Structures are given as C-alpha cells and as structure tokens.
Amino acid sequence: MILEGIVTSLNADHSVNVAPMGPIVDERLESFVLRPFKTSTTCQNLKRQPTGVFHVIDDVLLLARATIGRLDPPPEMFPAERVPGAVLASACRWYEFEIVDFDLAEDRTRLLAQVVNAGRLRDFLGFNRARHAVIEAAILASRVHVLPRETIEAQWEPLAAPIEKTAGGREREAFALLRSYIDEFFADGR
C-alpha cells in the first residue's frame, strides 16, 4: 500500500529538505520503499546521506505547501534521535530510516529504507473527504511539468465538491494554494 506523508532529508548545506512522498509500506512499517525521481532533491540528498525521516501527518496544508515548495515560514522541527535529520513537530508519527538498497536504474528510483527508530507525537486525527481531495490536488500540482493542462483540469473538477461540502479552513487554504500554483504555472505559457 502507498502511504502519503512527508520525508525530511538533509541538503548538502545541512539545511532540511521537506518533501511529500508516498512510500510503499506494509502495516508494520519496519521498512518501506521510497520512489523519488532521480532528479529530485530528496533522491540526491539520500544518495549523499542515506538517512532521513518519514512522517505520518494529517495536516494537508503542510503537505500542499511542501508539494509546491512554499515553506516560508518553514515548519517547526527538532533533531532526529538516531539518524542525522529532522522530525516535523506537527507530525502524528515519524520513522527515522537508513537506505539499505538503491535501485537507480529507472527515472523513478526504488530506495529500500530500513526503520531504525520511530516515535509518536499525537493521535492521527484522520482524513475527511476534503483532506483526501487536497491530497489528490497536491499530486496533480506535483505533475504540472508532465501532464497536459486538460488532464489536470479534468481531474481537478471533481475535487472541488468535497472541498465545498466538508472542508475546514486549512483544507480550503490548501486547495486554493494548489489552484493558484497550477494557474500560475500554466499562465507562464507552459
């Protein structure tokens, strides 16, 4: 199963990269497979320093902001316990990991991560229909470089109804932020 969350990894200057990621996991979460694109900052960071932290979150506004690289101000973090890296203070759970196997043969890599430490900060609030819609919208926003606008618009339209019916303030803000990002991308003639 794919579990949507956020991965933090260290940049070359030791700053923290915050990126949405949907690893392939099993229910025990003792190991998982990350699939970043070769050109991504996350992949480059994990090749250089093969450790990071995977976070289970329920804050879709943070996920949306991370997807489009608008993390100003950055989220609150604290140092990981067993690996060089950082834990998001707003996470529900986190999993510190080491990459134990790299498959870089395809554009979308396969990195086997072994969990070396885990922690829990709070209960997972859960996802309503609006939060699911924001996750799908974030995935669309992350693909503006590879999908035609018509495809994005066709998939976007059905996401608006759950936002209108079930969203709170953070979900509405996240959805509007992603819509603005997509509009700006295509307004630039791309």
Side-chain angles (χ1 to χ4, degrees), residues 108-121:
R108 189 144 192 203
T109 64
R110 292 182 62 84
L111 311 178
L112 178 60
Q114 181 68 47
V115 174
V116 297
N117 188 39
R120 180 184 172 279
L121 294 170

Side-chain angles (χ1 to χ4, degrees), residues 6-181:
I6 291 182
V7 168
T8 56
S9 60
L10 293 181
N11 295 317
D13 65 1
H14 300 288
S15 62
V16 179
N17 180 60
V18 179
M21 182 94 35
I24 299 170
V25 303
D26 64 21
E27 291 180 11
R28 294 171 44 168
L29 266 168
E30 294 172 350
S31 65
F32 48 86
V33 176
L34 297 170
R35 300 172 306 138
F37 287 97
K38 276 185 188 177
T39 58
S40 71
T41 301
T42 299
C43 186
Q44 298 307 308
N45 286 350
L46 293 175
K47 281 172 43 183
R48 186 182 57 262
Q49 170 70 51
T51 63
V53 183
F54 175 68
H55 304 82
V56 175
I57 65 164
D58 55 13
D59 182 353
V60 294
L61 180 55
L62 175 58
L63 183 95
R65 291 175 59 223
T67 299
I68 61 174
R70 294 188 181 165
L71 289 169
D72 189 24
E76 184 181 342
M77 295 178 251
F78 59 88
E81 297 170 3
R82 301 251 329 259
V83 301
V87 175
L88 297 171
S90 65
C92 300
R93 298 186 317 270
W94 82 90
Y95 299 87
E96 297 175 33
F97 63 84
E98 294 176 353
I99 301 299
V100 295
D101 187 44
F102 289 84
D103 181 352
L104 305 173
E106 304 290 328
D107 284 339
R108 189 144 192 203
T109 64
R110 292 182 62 84
L111 311 178
L112 178 60
Q114 181 68 47
V115 174
V116 297
N117 188 39
R120 180 184 172 279
L121 294 170
R122 63 184 177 80
D123 288 339
F124 179 76
L125 180 59
F127 287 135
N128 65 0
R129 291 174 54 212
R131 288 182 177 185
H132 284 287
V134 170
I135 290 170
E136 292 300 322
I139 292 167
L140 287 173
S142 75
R143 296 184 176 152
V144 293
H145 299 86
V146 295
L147 292 176
R149 183 174 194 161
E150 299 77 30
T151 301
I152 289 174
E153 296 301 338
Q155 293 179 23
W156 184 275
E157 189 174 322
L159 301 175
I163 296 295
E164 291 171 20
K165 293 178 182 178
T166 67
R170 290 182 74 78
E171 293 83 17
R172 290 182 193 285
E173 184 179 350
F175 198 69
L177 183 67
L178 294 166
R179 177 77 259 176
S180 176
Y181 174 81

